[in-house]
C-alpha cells in the first residue's frame, strides 16, 4: 500500500486539489528566439547566418563575425580575444544551428492553423538539393567543375572560385537547367550517332540487295547460256544425224554406180552395151545432181557447226560493270576492283576507299583462292607524263617465297603495296644486261623495302640465266630491301643470277620505254594486282 501512497498525495483524503499550471506567456517564445539568435544583429541563426564559435563559448553569426574580426577580434559578450583572421577559419556551432531550425519549424506550425496549412504541392520546387551530410546545412548550390552539390560551408572550405581556383558555382535552379541541357545534348548526340549507325546498316543492306540482284542476273545469264548450249547440242546432234544419213545415202549412190559399171563390163552384144551405157549415164546424171545439192548443204553446215551459246562465263562477268571484293584484317576493311582485261580477270590492289552502294561485293579470300599457286600471275600498270603507258604481266616461277612476297605486294593483302611507287633506277641502258628496278614501298628510292615473308633466299631454285624479261630481286644479305625487284631488259650472255623468281609474259616493250624515260623516277606504278584465268 506504500506504493499507492507514493503515487500522488493529491489523492489522499483532506488534501486540496493542486491548481492548474498557468499558461505559458507569449514572451517565453520570444526569449527562446533571442537565445537562438546572434547577439550582435539579434537575427535567428539559419543557413545564411551560421553560428560561429569564438573559442570562449559564445557564438556570433557568420555575417557579423567578419565585422568583429575587422574591429579588434574580441567577443562582444565577454570581451575575450580570439585569433582567427577570417570567418571561414572559425568552426560552426552545429547543435545551436539545429536548435534554431527546430524552433523555427515549431513556430511555423503554431502560427499556421491546421485547416489553413497548404497541402504538399505535387510539383517540385528547386530551392535546394537536400541537406549536406558533413555540415547539416541545405545544399543550395552546385559546383559544376567538381560535379557536386554544396552548402555555404562546403563552398567556403572546399571550393575556390576564379581567378584563384577553377570552380564554377551555380544556384540550384540554374544548375538544374544547365544539367538538363547537358543531358539533352548528350541524348541528342547519342540519337544522332544511332541514326548514322542506322544509315550505315541501311547502306550495307543496299549493298547486299545490289549484290543479290547482281547474282540473280548472273545466274539468269548463266541459265540462259546453259539453255543456249543445250539447244546448240541438240542442233549439233540433229545435224550429226543428217550427216550420218547422207553418208549412208552416198554409199548407196556408190553402190548404184558400181552396179552400172558391172553391167557395162558384162555386156556381150552391141545392144546390151548400149542399154547398160544409157543406164550408167542416167545414174551418173542423178548422182551428180545429188552430189551438188550435198556440197551446198555441207557449205551451209560449215558456217553453223561451231556456233556456241550467246552468253558464256566471260560475258556474264562483263554484265556487271562494278564488281568489288571486300577484305578485313588488322588494318580494317578494304576493297579491291575486279575487271576483265585482255581475256583475263584482274584483281586490283586493295584500297581503303569504299565502292558505291550499287557495286556487287564478293569475298576477297574466295577470289584470291582462284590464283594458282604454281603459276601465279600479277600485273603492274606503269604511268609517266601524266598518262598510263600500259600494263606489264608477270608469271611466277613456282611457289617460292620471293614469288609469294611479290604477289602480296601487288595485291596489298599484307598491308604494303607497290601502288604509287616509282621505278628508282635503270642501269646499262642500251647495253648487255639492261635492267630497271623498282618496288621500294618504304622509302621509294631504293634504300628500303623490307621483306614481308620469311626465307627469302638466293641460289638454288632462283638460279637462272640473265635473259630478257627475267624478274629478279635483291640479294639475301640486303635485308632492308629484299622486297625491291628488277627486270632484265636485254640478255647478258654467259651471266647467271641467283635471285630470279618470275618472267615477263606481256609488256616488255613498255618496260624498255620506261627505262629510257628521263628521269626514270617519273615512271610510277599507277596500279597493280593479280591476274586470274577465266
Amino acid at each position: 500500500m506504500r506504493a499507492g501512497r507514493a503515487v500522488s498525495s493529491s489523492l489522499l483524503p483532506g488534501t486540496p486539489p493542486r491548481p492548474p499550471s498557468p499558461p505559458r506567456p507569449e514572451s517565453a517564445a520570444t526569449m527562446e528566439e533571442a537565445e537562438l539568435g546572434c547577439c550582435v544583429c539579434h537575427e535567428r541563426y539559419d543557413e545564411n547566418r551560421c553560428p560561429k564559435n569564438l573559442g570562449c563559448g559564445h557564438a556570433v553569426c557568420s555575417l557579423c563575425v567578419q565585422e568583429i574580426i575587422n574591429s579588434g577580434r574580441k567577443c562582444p559578450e565577454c570581451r575575450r580575444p580570439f585569433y582567427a583572421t577570417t570567418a571561414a577559419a572559425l568552426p560552426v556551432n552545429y547543435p545551436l544551428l539545429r536548435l534554431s531550425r527546430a524552433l523555427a519549424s515549431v513556430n511555423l506550425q503554431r502560427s499556421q492553423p491546421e485547416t489553413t496549412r497548404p497541402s504538399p504541392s505535387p510539383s517540385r520546387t528547386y530551392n535546394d538539393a537536400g541537406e549536406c551530410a558533413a555540415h547539416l546545412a541545405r545544399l543550395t548550390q552546385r559546383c559544376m567543375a567538381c560535379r557536386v552539390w554544396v552548402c555555404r560551408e562546403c563552398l567556403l572550405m572546399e571550393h575556390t572560385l576564379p581567378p584563384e581556383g577553377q570552380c564554377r558555382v551555380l544556384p540550384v535552379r540554374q544548375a538544374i537547367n544547365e544539367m538538363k541541357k547537358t543531358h539533352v545534348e548528350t541524348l541528342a548526340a547519342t540519337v544522332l550517332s544511332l541514326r548514322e549507325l542506322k544509315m550505315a546498316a541501311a547502306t550495307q543492306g543496299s549493298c547486299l540487295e545490289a549484290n543479290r540482284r547482281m547474282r540473280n542476273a548472273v545466274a539468269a545469264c548463266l541459265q540462259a547460256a546453259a539453255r543456249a548450249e543445250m539447244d546448240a547440242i541438240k542442233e549439233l546432234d540433229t545435224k550429226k544425224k543428217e550427216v550420218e544419213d547422207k553418208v549412208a545415202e552416198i554409199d548407196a549412190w556408190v553402190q548404184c554406180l558400181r552396179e552400172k559399171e558391172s553391167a557395162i563390163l558384162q555386156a556381150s552384144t552391141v545392144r546390151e552395151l548400149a542399154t547398160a551405157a544409157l543406164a550408167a549415164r542416167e545414174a551418173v546424171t542423178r548422182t551428180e545432181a545429188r552430189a551438188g545439192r550435198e556440197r551446198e548443204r555441207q557449205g551451209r553446215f560449215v558456217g553453223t557447226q561451231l556456233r556456241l551459246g550467246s552468253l558464256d562465263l566471260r560475258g556474264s562477268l562483263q554484265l556487271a560493270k562494278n564488281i568489288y571484293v571486300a577484305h578485313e584484317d588488322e588494318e580494317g576493311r578494304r576493297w579491291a576492283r575486279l575487271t576483265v582485261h585482255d581475256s583475263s580477270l584482274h584483281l586490283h590492289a586493295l584500297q581503303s576507299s569504299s565502292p558505291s552502294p550499287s557495286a556487287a561485293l564478293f569475298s576477297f579470300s574466295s577470289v584470291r583462292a582462284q590464283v594458282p599457286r604454281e603459276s601465279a600471275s600479277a600485273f603492274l600498270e606503269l604511268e609517266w607524263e601524266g598518262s598510263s603507258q600500259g600494263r606489264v604481266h608477270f608469271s611466277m616461277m613456282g611457289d617460292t617465297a620471293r614469288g609469294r612476297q611479290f604477289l602480296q605486294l601487288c595485291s596489298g593483302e599484307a598491308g604494303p603495296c607497290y601502288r604509287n611507287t616509282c621505278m628508282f633506277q635503270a642501269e646499262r641502258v642500251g647495253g648487255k644486261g639492261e635492267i630497271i628496278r623498282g618496288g621500294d614501298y618504304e622509302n621509294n628510292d631504293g634504300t628500303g623495302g623490307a621483306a614481308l615473308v620469311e626465307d627469302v633466299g638466293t641460289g638454288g631454285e632462283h638460279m637462272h640465266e640473265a635473259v630478257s624479261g627475267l624478274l629478279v630481286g635483291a640479294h639475301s644479305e640486303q635485308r632492308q630491301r629484299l622486297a625491291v625487284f628488277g627486270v632484265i631488259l636485254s640478255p647478258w650472255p654467259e651471266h647467271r643470277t641467283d635471285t630470279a623468281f618470275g618472267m615477263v609474259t606481256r609488256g616488255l616493250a613498255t618496260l624498255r620505254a620506261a627505262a629510257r624515260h628521263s628521269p626514270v623516277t617519273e615512271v610510277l606504278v599507277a596500279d597493280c594486282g593479280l591476274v586470274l584465268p577465266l
Side-chain angles (χ1 to χ4, degrees), residues 199-480:
M199 291 178 63
T203 301
Q204 291 180 355
S206 300
C207 293
L208 293 174
E209 177 62 23
N211 196 346
R212 186 186 68 83
R213 290 196 299 268
M214 171 58 205
R215 288 179 180 269
N216 283 338
V218 172
C221 292
L222 293 176
Q223 290 175 358
R227 288 193 295 270
E229 293 302 320
M230 293 302 298
D231 293 341
I233 291 173
K234 291 180 180 179
E235 184 178 355
L236 291 174
D237 289 340
T238 302
K239 291 184 178 299
K240 182 181 177 182
K241 181 65 169 59
E242 292 179 3
V243 170
E244 292 174 348
D245 293 342
K246 288 297 179 181
V247 169
E249 187 176 353
I250 292 173
D251 287 340
W253 298 345
V254 172
Q255 181 63 30
C256 179
L257 293 177
R258 286 178 177 174
E259 290 178 355
K260 300 304 179 184
E261 179 185 9
S262 177
I264 290 175
L265 293 176
Q266 293 177 3
S268 57
T269 64
V270 174
R271 186 180 182 85
E272 290 177 355
L273 179 59
T275 302
L278 178 61
R281 284 195 298 269
E282 292 176 353
V284 169
T285 301
R286 290 194 303 270
T287 301
E288 287 179 350
R290 293 171 180 173
R293 290 194 296 272
E294 175 61 17
R295 291 187 184 93
E296 291 178 0
R297 187 197 66 79
Q298 289 185 7
R300 293 192 302 270
F301 177 75
V302 169
T304 59
Q305 63 177 341
L306 299 179
R307 184 175 62 84
L308 300 177
S310 59
L311 294 173
D312 55 11
L313 178 59
R314 179 184 174 190
S316 300
L317 289 171
Q318 288 177 330
L319 287 176
K321 301 299 182 182
N322 203 7
I323 305 179
Y324 279 79
V325 296
H327 181 57
E328 194 157 0
D329 55 13
E330 297 177 353
E331 296 186 10
R333 199 173 195 192
R334 295 179 294 160
W335 293 266
R337 283 190 305 135
L338 270 174
T339 60
V340 177
H341 186 80
D342 291 341
S343 302
S344 59
L345 190 63
H346 284 200
L347 174 61
H348 295 252
L350 291 162
Q351 54 186 353
S352 57
S353 57
S354 59
S356 63
S358 61
L361 290 179
F362 296 89
S363 167
F364 176 85
S365 58
S366 63
V367 177
R368 179 66 171 85
Q370 303 303 316
V371 178
R373 293 179 61 90
E374 295 297 326
S375 58
S377 297
F379 74 90
L380 300 178
E381 183 172 350
L382 300 185
E383 173 186 297
W384 63 85
E385 296 181 351
S387 61
S388 175
Q389 303 296 325
R391 293 186 181 181
V392 183
H393 290 215
F394 303 88
S395 178
M396 303 299 105
M397 294 178 175
D399 184 18
T400 65
R402 286 182 179 270
R404 290 193 299 271
Q405 176 178 263
F406 188 82
L407 296 176
Q408 290 181 10
L409 285 164
C410 286
S411 66
E413 60 194 86
C417 184
Y418 284 147
R419 180 194 279 133
N420 296 327
T421 62
C422 71
M423 309 303 288
F424 57 82
Q425 188 180 42
E427 291 185 319
R428 297 183 291 276
V429 177
K432 294 187 298 184
E434 179 182 0
I435 188 171
I436 186 170
R437 292 189 176 92
D440 182 359
Y441 66 87
E442 291 181 315
N443 303 328
N444 211 18
D445 59 4
T447 62
L452 299 183
V453 300
E454 297 180 355
D455 302 328
V456 178
T458 56
E461 60 187 352
H462 302 294
M463 292 293 298
H464 201 280
E465 293 181 3
V467 297
S468 298
L470 189 65
L471 180 62
V472 298
H475 289 277
S476 57
E477 62 266 21
Q478 299 174 340
R479 296 186 177 276
Q480 76 280 3

Side-chain angles (χ1 to χ4, degrees), residues 493-513:
E494 300 179 358
H495 185 81
R496 295 174 63 84
T497 178
D498 58 353
T499 61
F501 62 93
M503 287 291 296
V504 175
T505 58
R506 184 182 301 174
L508 190 58
T510 302
L511 282 172
R512 288 180 176 141

